């Protein structure tokens, strides 16, 4: 009977699998690329406006 409770306690204390991690990584990567593209675009646009 003790082994049953040991198994239950071990199952409850195991780290949980994070199934959303790949989705978060992809979304964060996409957001970073979009933000970087926007920053580069604004920089080029301002540079061209200043240059003439």
């Amino acid at each position: 009977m003790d082994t049953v409770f040991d198994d239950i306690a071990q199952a409850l204390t195991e780290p949980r699998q994070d199934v959303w991690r790949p989705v978060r990584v992809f979304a964060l990567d996409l957001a970073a690329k979009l933000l970087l593209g926007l920053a580069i675009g604004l920089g080029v646009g301002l540079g061209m406006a200043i240059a003439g």
Side-chain angles (χ1 to χ4, degrees), residues 2-26:
D2 288 331
T3 58
V4 172
F5 290 118
D6 289 340
D7 292 341
I8 292 173
Q10 184 181 7
L12 290 175
T13 58
E14 285 182 5
R16 296 184 179 202
Q17 295 282 340
D18 190 8
V19 295
W20 288 104
R21 185 172 186 209
V23 175
R24 278 198 309 264
V25 168
F26 178 75

Side-chain angles (χ1 to χ4, degrees), residues 19-38:
V19 295
W20 288 104
R21 185 172 186 209
V23 175
R24 278 198 309 264
V25 168
F26 178 75
L28 186 61
D29 184 47
L30 182 64
K33 286 179 183 177
L34 289 175
L35 190 62
L36 184 61
L38 181 65

